[in-house]
Amino acid sequence: MENKRIHAALLSVYNKQGLEDIARQLHAMGIVIYSTGGTQQHLEDKDIPVVAVEDITDYPSILGGRVKTLHPKIFGGILAMRNEDHLGQLAHFQIPLIDLVVVDLYPFQETLAQTREHDELIEKIDIGGISLIRAAAKNFQDVVVIPSFREYGLLKGILANNAISSLEQRRQLAARAFSVSQAYDHSIHTYLAGLMPEGSLPLRYGENPHQTARYLGDLDECLDVLCGKELSYNNLLDIDSALSLMSDFHKGPPCFAVLKHTNVCGIAVRENLTEAWGAALAGDPVSAYGGILICNAPVDEATAKAIHPLFFEVLLAPGFEEEALNLLKTRKQRILIRIRHLPVSRTHVRSAINGLLEQDPNEHHTRREDLKPVTRQLADKELIDDLIFAIHCVKHLKSNAIALVKGQQLIGMGCGQTSRVDACRQAIEKAAAMGFDPAGSAMASEAFFPFPDCVELAAKAGVAAIAQPGGSVNDALSIQAADDRGIAMAFTGIRHFKH
């Protein structure tokens, strides 16, 4: 039978986050809860009825808690196939069926990220938990396995269906369980085999929880992490993008930028840092939530007060005034980083097709003399400044990309689109959605216009000037479209693809 209802659950977790809600729901549905050790104590402290594992096994937890659930009366109830032979054996040995196993493993990876104390690491190697996960996953035909607290949302979906799971749900959770097991074992193997080179920082997980990850390098050489939670893989990717972006703005007047998923979503230059922050945030206050912030000047108290209400992951700055730092540190999870200096990268390397791709970094910084006018209408000084600003923004957006800038402020962006015209449309619509009028703005494209459609869209929005690399066989059509509509256009001769 594909659909199975949960009747009995075994709960054994290290991280108790969200456990109470799950356990209360199980109890309310009449599902028997088995548990032991710290999990049992946690549930009993919440007045949630629990059957102790020791009451099933008639054997106490021994060896300082190293052996609790490793017993035939536990694993028999998980691994038993629901056929006459196996069920008969369970009855004979008085072994209860278990059809839900909820585990969250000892935090070996997290501990490895914090210490190299061997004895402490060895004690964080989970044996019973990983065995429960693998046993339940093997028997997914009949058993639901929840291999970490991150899967509680999936379990809640099953419970909402009267605790009935489909075979496909159980199969997917089993696959997830073996992924968790693989990542966990890989971290242990890497440590015990001595495969962690100097400068290797294990991370909790990679881009997603089922991926293992580590950072190889010397973060402290260029950055000083002042406070906050442990840096994640995604934090490091975003920080790298933020530092790369600021390399094009760090020598100028006060500049503030906001990034999300490695793309700049707000950036502005103003006379002081507080005003720059306000203008950068206005570019996309929705995306700024949970974002990465970076600026090119020390954070003063006034700027800190303006930033403080926002939830953000990381703030990077050349420095922090004492009052500013004390205020921002009151949110314990915030990561505050002092930039010692911008990192210098001689090469960019990424894996590809059973090997590596290596290239020089894109360090081209556009200057006024790089802009070659190609239309009758010429951009004035203010528009040229905005064009250069827009080029430096679009350079750091995923292709295909368009940036709209007005008054040294990013007011709209389109990125990661499979067609340039879609990126153009997205940038214009984004500006309008954020309350900006694109009329009189400067537009930059990181690659040439293959057709005049982007110029036509820009003209309808009132864009005053456009910068693009040029080099298309249809350049003449785009230039003619700009001339017909009174738009100033300049070619740079430099493409800024980013994949």
Side-chain angles (χ1 to χ4, degrees), residues 234 237-238 241 259-264 290-292 398 498:
N234 290 329
L237 281 180
D238 285 331
S241 294
L259 293 91
K260 196 70 169 289
H261 297 300
T262 74
N263 289 300
V264 55
I292 305 295
K398 294 289 178 64
K498 186 180 180 186

Side-chain angles (χ1 to χ4, degrees), residues 152-173:
Y152 284 177
L154 299 175
L155 176 56
K156 287 179 178 179
I158 292 172
L159 297 180
N161 189 38
N162 195 31
I164 296 172
S165 66
S166 68
L167 178 61
E168 184 57 27
Q169 285 175 314
R170 297 192 299 277
R171 187 198 312 275
Q172 290 298 323
L173 283 166

Side-chain angles (χ1 to χ4, degrees), residues 383-401:
L383 270 177
I384 290 173
D385 288 343
D386 278 352
L387 284 173
I388 292 172
F389 192 104
I391 292 167
H392 291 151
C393 288
V394 81
K395 168 186 172 182
H396 298 278
L397 293 170
K398 294 289 178 64
S399 298
N400 288 307

Side-chain angles (χ1 to χ4, degrees), residues 1 9 17 34 46 90 99 121 132 164 171 206 225 257 267 275 281 293 301-302 333 369 394 419 471 478 484 495:
M1 189 169 96
Q17 176 183 334
Y34 300 108
K46 305 292 184 182
L90 294 188
D99 34 34
L121 286 165
L132 290 170
I164 296 172
R171 187 198 312 275
V225 181
I267 183 170
E275 291 179 359
L281 179 64
L293 316 182
E301 186 178 13
Q333 295 295 303
E369 53 266 33
V394 81
S419 74
S478 292
D484 290 346
R495 190 180 73 185

Side-chain angles (χ1 to χ4, degrees), residues 19 69 182:
L19 180 65
T69 57
Q182 179 190 43

